[in-house]
Amino acid sequence: MKKVFVLGLEPFNLTLLEKFEKEDDVEYHEGLTCQESVDISDSFSLMEMVRLVEERMDQYGPADAILNYWDFPNSCIAPLLCKRNGLPGPSLEAVAALEHKLWARHAIERAAPEASTEFCAVDPFGARPRDRVKIDYPFWVKPFVSHSSYLGFKIENEEELAAELVTLLEPGSTAWQAVRYLKEGEMYAAGGLKLIWEKLDSRFPVKPAMDQ
């Protein structure tokens, strides 16, 4: 029997998983509960969470696979677990390249330029960041790496930009935690604690969930 450890497992998705395989073929275990995946603080330790999952793998394993059902931090924990335990899975660098908005936009620009829109990297800690950006309103302002669109803002004018930059520059925000584990790496030439400004693309309108 194969044993799969799931990060962010909860009853609804467990029911879906068990439909893919016969119950005697695969056994699913909680690597992290949904609650443990969601309730993280600004001072959480990524590696402590990795070790917690490994303790459960030692207790109920050995593990044949890691499956993730959640956003950050699980999206980073899963590749770390795979690498540390010799299991198949994407590298942390590959995951980071997709979750890092600037790297992802450059990849889209290379692979599918027709789906790309105008964007640029901005250092929000520099003097008068708006003066260094040529993108017209409206646009999105987002951290390079975030969680569930946390600290992403649609900006319509100068007043909104000034107000949201105050929020974005709050020290110690959870939104910055994802990048701190990678910021010494080669891929960080652009810097981690920065923002992407991205032009709204009318070809792909986005509506609030309540309007859908």
Side-chain angles (χ1 to χ4, degrees):
M1 178 181 292
K2 300 293 185 181
K3 294 186 177 182
V4 178
F5 283 76
V6 186
L7 310 182
L9 185 63
E10 40 75 40
F12 176 78
N13 284 320
L14 176 59
T15 301
L16 295 180
L17 286 172
E18 289 175 340
K19 291 180 179 179
F20 286 105
E21 301 284 349
K22 295 179 181 178
E23 290 188 15
D24 58 348
D25 292 332
V26 179
E27 185 176 274
Y28 296 100
H29 294 271
E30 281 183 337
L32 290 171
T33 67
C34 187
Q35 198 73 14
E36 289 169 332
S37 304
V38 175
D39 291 343
I40 59 173
S41 67
D42 288 349
S43 59
F44 85 100
S45 168
L46 191 72
M47 293 312 299
E48 283 183 10
M49 296 181 74
V50 169
R51 288 188 285 270
L52 174 61
V53 179
E54 289 180 332
E55 289 174 6
R56 292 168 179 171
M57 291 165 60
D58 290 340
Q59 182 177 359
Y60 300 107
D64 294 288
I66 302 294
L67 177 64
N68 176 38
Y69 251 124
W70 196 248
D71 201 337
F72 179 81
N74 293 4
S75 54
C76 291
I77 292 172
L80 287 171
L81 286 167
C82 290
K83 182 176 181 179
R84 286 162 61 96
N85 294 277
L87 299 172
S91 68
L92 181 59
E93 290 78 11
V95 171
L98 292 176
E99 292 207 336
H100 190 291
K101 292 180 178 64
L102 184 66
W103 300 338
R105 299 307 183 273
H106 282 302
I108 292 171
E109 195 172 46
R110 292 192 299 270
E114 70 281 0
S116 184
T117 187
E118 190 178 2
F119 65 90
C120 67
V122 178
D123 179 1
F125 298 96
R128 299 185 61 81
R130 181 66 181 106
D131 292 349
R132 301 191 298 276
V133 178
K134 305 303 182 184
I135 299 175
D136 293 330
Y137 298 106
F139 52 75
W140 294 104
V141 173
K142 313 169 186 176
F144 281 0
V145 179
S146 184
H147 176 288
S148 302
S149 299
Y150 183 57
L151 294 182
F153 298 102
K154 180 183 177 182
I155 305 297
E156 299 275 4
N157 52 54
E158 200 78 19
E159 291 73 23
E160 289 185 3
L161 178 61
E164 303 306 356
L165 282 177
V166 172
T167 303
L168 284 159
L169 297 181
E170 181 181 357
S173 167
T174 305
W176 299 126
Q177 293 292 324
V179 299
R180 290 178 178 152
Y181 294 94
L182 295 170
K183 67 179 181 180
E184 300 301 328
E186 180 180 343
M187 298 175 74
Y188 254 76
L193 304 182
K194 293 186 180 179
L195 305 174
I196 182 171
W197 293 20
E198 185 175 28
K199 181 69 176 175
L200 266 70
D201 193 334
S202 59
R203 296 173 300 169
F204 309 106
V206 177
K207 297 173 64 178
M210 65 183 69
D211 295 337
Q212 294 181 353

